[in-house]
């Protein structure tokens, strides 16, 4: 596949408009319809933590399932893992996180607000070396975005949350909330390889919570302090790492497109040499055109042998792999794909949002891929006064619910019920009417085309199951 970027992935392709002009559109829909709520809202909220409501939890679960399907279920060479959030503190010393998992923090001398240096207005073109330069504030004439006050020179702020393990709270009991899932895969490399008998190249996939005490979180669920990652570590022969890295780029791109992201709003961006993390040989981000600019969706990294060499050295455990084909012992290189479940769900929400005019009225639609949609089907009575119709609806819903999330609603007239389902992305509505009692058929209405077709009751479930399979590309 040809990569849809300029020859140099660091150069921005011509800009495209975001799917929505204003983030508020999605924030208010999320609150109103039960996708995402501010955490602890009745106490005034807690910054950068969000709660997923009844529809949001379904959407995010579906995103995680879709990722697992593509990364584990459909592949013979990748297996899953669910490591603990708390790990031995030496893991984070060895990985470099205790020493250098930090962002450049500046503080206003008058209002004392703190900012991440590279997110200040006017700091868009700072290089990685600028971020540690004490003269950077002066050179770029940066001021506090809140009150125009003077800013301090940058200092490093470590992003890991600490807590204590056990009943004694001293330095020896400090443990960290993991800031990434990857380290759990590295320290389990041998366990997984030996128990699953995988031969290199093979991967370990994890989905789970990570925590970062971000200096300037924001943009809704884009940057949170508690979030979920979907990460895969692929262990390879050192001489194959560069080529395998290139193979993962189109694969990860295709996953976003397969689940509905408009390709024009995606791009690759390669990290400049001075921007590369301490462990990385090469890094390319998949970026999405959010309403607040091009931002990282997922990072694809060639981490070399940094992780396993460091852990082998620090733990004293031999983490070499023996290749029976060539009879060589070596420390595998790692190609990582590191994405976020919240960021992906957020992207699918934004990119699927559309407003249309239908017969002079505004119709809001979440055109989510059916596999990601919270409800797959809504069962609606045309006449709720007729008990036989309502009874048939409940029977049908209960039958559908054995295989998918199906909902019943009779709290408005049919036109309004359709609009409500459109707004939350339900791909199909099934309407039961008076004729259904006679002919045993119902109307299946499609969210996107709004076309309606008459289907015998006993064929409804199979029709939807088949369409769901088609939506996920199966
Ligand atoms: P950024 O540059 O945005 O801080 P990063 O380069 O530190 O991100 P990684 O460490 O590569 O991010 O994490 C992998 C993925 O985890 C990111 O691409 C993103 O999808 C997700 N992620 C990272 N930090 C957060 C966060 N604070 N909130 C939500 N998702 C996050």
């Amino acid at each position: 596949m040809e990569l849809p970027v300029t020859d140099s992935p660091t150069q921005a392709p011509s800009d495209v408009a975001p799917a929505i002009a204003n983030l508020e559109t999605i924030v208010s829909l999320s609150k109103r319809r039960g996708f995402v709520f501010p955490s602890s809202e009745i106490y005034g909220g807690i910054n950068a933590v969000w709660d997923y409501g009844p529809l949001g939890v379904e959407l995010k679960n579906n995103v995680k399932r879709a990722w697992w399907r593509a990364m584990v279920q459909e592949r013979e060479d990748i297996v899953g893992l669910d490591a603990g959030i708390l790990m031995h503190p030496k893991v984070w010393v060895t990985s470099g996180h205790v020493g250098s998992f930090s962002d450049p923090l500046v503080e206003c001398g008058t209002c004392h607000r703190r900012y991440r240096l590279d997110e200040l207005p006017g700091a868009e073109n700072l290089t990685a070396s600028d971020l540690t330069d004490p003269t950077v504030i002066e050179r770029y004439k940066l001021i506090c975005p809140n009150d125009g006050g003077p800013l301090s020179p940058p200092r490093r702020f470590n992003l890991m949350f600490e807590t204590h393990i056990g009943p004694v709270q001293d330095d020896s009991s400090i443990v960290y909330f993991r800031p990434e899932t990857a380290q759990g895969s590295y320290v389990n490399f041998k366990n997984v390889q030996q128990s699953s008998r995988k031969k290199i190249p093979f991967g370990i996939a994890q989905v789970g919570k990570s925590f970062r005490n971000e200096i300037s979180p924001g943009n809704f669920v884009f940057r949170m302090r508690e979030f979920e990652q979907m990460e895969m570590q692929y262990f390879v022969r050192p001489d194959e790492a560069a080529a395998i890295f290139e193979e993962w780029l189109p694969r990860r791109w295709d996953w976003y497109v397969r689940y509905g992201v408009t390709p024009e709003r995606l791009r690759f961006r390669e990290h400049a040499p001075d921007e590369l993390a301490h462990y990385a040989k090469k890094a390319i981000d998949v970026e999405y055109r959010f309403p607040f600019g091009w931002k990282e969706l997922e990072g694809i990294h060639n981490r070399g042998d940094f992780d396993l060499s460091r852990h082998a050295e620090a733990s004293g455990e031999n983490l070499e792999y023996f290749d029976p084909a060539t009879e060589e012992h070596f420390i595998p290189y790692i190609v990582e794909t590191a994405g976020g479940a919240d960021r992906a769900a957020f992207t699918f929400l934004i990119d699927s949002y559309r407003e249309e005019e239908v017969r002079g009225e505004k119709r809001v639609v979440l055109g989510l891929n059916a596999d990601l949609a919270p409800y797959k089907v809504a069962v609606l009575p045309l006449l709720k006064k007729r008990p036989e119709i309502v009874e048939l609806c409940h029977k049908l819903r209960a039958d559908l619910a054995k295989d998918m999330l199906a909902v019943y609603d009779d709290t408005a007239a049919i036109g309004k019920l359709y609009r409500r389902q459109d707004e939350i992305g339900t791909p199909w509505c099934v309407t039961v009417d008076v004729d259904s009692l006679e002919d045993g058929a119902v109307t299946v209405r499609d969210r996107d085309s709004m076309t309606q077709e008459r289907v015998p009751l006993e064929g409804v479930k199979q029709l939807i199951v088949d369409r769901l399979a088609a939506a996920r590309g199966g």
Side-chain angles (χ1 to χ4, degrees):
M1 167 188 144
E2 185 143 342
L3 300 187
V5 277
T6 56
D7 290 349
S8 153
T10 49
Q11 198 184 318
S14 59
D15 209 353
V16 295
I20 49 167
N22 189 345
L23 195 57
E24 193 46 37
T25 312
I26 288 294
V27 177
S28 69
L29 183 140
S30 294
K31 173 89 197 290
R32 188 162 33 86
R33 299 307 313 270
F35 281 93
V36 178
F37 309 125
S39 162
S40 325
E41 195 181 12
I42 60 169
Y43 287 98
I46 171 169
N47 199 358
V49 185
W50 296 88
D51 295 343
Y52 284 81
L55 297 183
V57 65
E58 299 298 339
L59 171 66
K60 193 157 79 144
N61 280 342
N62 292 340
V63 168
K64 291 187 283 184
R65 246 181 249 127
W67 186 88
W68 199 264
R69 165 185 291 277
M71 300 297 278
V72 179
Q73 184 180 328
E74 290 178 357
R75 298 190 65 96
E76 282 186 272
D77 55 349
I78 303 181
V79 289
L81 177 74
D82 183 12
I85 286 171
L86 302 179
M87 301 179 75
H88 194 294
K90 279 192 187 156
V91 168
W92 304 108
V93 177
T94 308
S95 67
H97 283 81
V98 169
S100 62
F101 189 58
S102 52
D103 278 336
L105 177 143
V106 295
E107 184 170 340
C108 172
T110 49
C111 73
H112 297 291
R113 292 203 182 178
R114 293 169 165 197
Y115 303 95
R116 195 170 131 173
L117 170 60
D118 51 332
E119 287 182 350
L120 284 172
E124 293 79 13
N125 296 322
L126 296 194
T127 63
S129 25
D130 284 333
L131 301 181
T132 51
D133 178 358
T135 67
V136 65
I137 300 291
E138 234 173 275
R139 283 196 295 113
Y140 285 85
K141 304 202 181 342
L142 299 171
I143 49 165
C144 173
N146 180 46
D147 65 358
L151 294 170
S152 68
R155 70 178 168 88
R156 304 303 301 182
F157 175 79
N158 196 295
L159 301 184
M160 281 199 295
F161 282 101
E162 286 178 14
T163 187
H164 294 270
I165 196 156
V168 182
Q169 299 210 344
D170 61 15
D171 282 357
S172 67
S173 67
I174 288 180
V175 290
Y176 303 97
F177 282 71
R178 71 177 174 201
E180 61 177 35
T181 65
Q183 298 301 323
S185 298
Y186 305 148
V187 299
N188 276 297
F189 166 69
K190 235 176 156 173
N191 283 337
V192 173
Q193 193 269 323
Q194 289 177 352
S195 59
S196 63
R197 296 167 170 275
K198 288 286 171 205
K199 290 202 178 67
I200 269 173
F202 81 95
I204 303 181
Q206 281 204 77
V207 173
K209 285 257 165 135
S210 292
F211 302 81
R212 297 183 186 180
N213 196 6
E214 300 277 4
I215 298 169
S216 31
N219 288 324
F220 196 38
V221 296
F222 176 80
R223 192 179 299 289
M224 301 191 283
R225 293 195 168 120
E226 174 181 341
F227 56 97
E228 260 184 294
Q229 291 189 303
M230 307 187 293
E231 297 194 302
M232 192 281 298
Q233 316 301 320
Y234 204 64
F235 301 88
V236 304
R237 286 180 60 89
D239 55 0
E240 290 180 347
I244 289 180
F245 173 87
E246 300 298 327
E247 288 169 15
W248 277 102
L249 298 173
R251 252 181 229 145
R252 292 306 307 145
W253 175 286
D254 289 347
W255 183 79
Y256 289 102
V257 174
R258 167 174 166 189
Y259 283 98
V261 177
T262 310
E264 289 71 27
R265 293 199 195 96
L266 288 174
R267 75 175 189 191
F268 284 118
R269 190 183 71 81
E270 179 164 3
H271 287 211
D274 68 348
E275 189 193 352
L276 281 177
H278 58 277
Y279 53 76
K281 289 202 172 314
K282 187 167 181 180
I284 294 188
D285 291 341
V286 182
E287 291 191 335
Y288 175 71
R289 177 63 168 98
F290 286 96
F292 42 89
W294 287 97
K295 299 280 175 193
E296 172 178 338
L297 252 188
E298 170 160 345
I300 297 154
H301 312 129
N302 177 352
R303 303 178 64 117
D305 64 0
F306 177 85
D307 306 283
L308 292 184
S309 307
R310 290 284 298 251
H311 283 305
E313 201 182 311
S315 66
E317 191 73 30
N318 180 1
L319 297 179
E320 279 182 338
Y321 172 81
F322 174 68
D323 191 338
T326 59
E327 303 209 323
E328 285 169 286
H329 289 269
F330 58 86
I331 296 271
Y333 271 32
I334 294 169
V335 174
E336 170 188 54
T337 69
D342 310 273
R343 227 174 253 190
F346 183 36
T347 302
F348 290 123
L349 264 184
I350 295 176
D351 210 68
S352 67
Y353 182 92
R354 58 175 199 264
E355 291 175 9
E356 301 169 348
E357 204 179 287
V358 178
R359 288 185 287 279
E361 276 185 36
K362 182 168 116 175
R363 178 171 100 114
V364 172
V365 188
L366 279 186
L368 288 167
N369 177 294
D371 199 38
L372 301 183
Y375 297 142
K376 304 306 177 206
V377 54
V379 183
L380 313 171
L382 200 65
L383 270 181
K384 72 169 172 182
K385 285 195 202 112
R386 291 284 297 267
E388 316 93 280
I389 291 183
V390 172
E391 195 187 328
L392 189 56
C393 283
H394 284 300
K395 243 175 90 186
L396 178 60
R397 191 213 66 87
D399 182 43
L400 290 165
K402 290 180 191 144
D403 293 277
M404 66 195 75
L405 200 60
V407 64
Y408 169 82
D409 191 6
D410 67 5
T411 55
I414 193 70
K416 195 150 187 200
L417 294 180
Y418 284 153
R419 292 292 180 272
R420 279 189 198 158
Q421 296 300 328
D422 292 341
E423 198 190 34
I424 59 173
T426 309
W428 301 287
C429 289
V430 177
T431 307
V432 179
D433 55 27
V434 181
D435 291 344
S436 308
L437 303 174
E438 301 298 319
D439 64 4
V442 290
T443 302
V444 177
R445 180 238 189 212
D446 182 271
R447 174 196 68 200
D448 297 321
S449 64
M450 291 188 288
T451 51
Q452 307 193 357
E453 60 192 305
R454 207 69 187 160
V455 178
L457 258 174
E458 60 278 8
V460 172
K461 192 199 270 189
Q462 196 54 49
L463 179 97
I464 293 175
V465 165
D466 290 346
R467 288 188 185 168
L468 274 173
R472 65 174 81 96

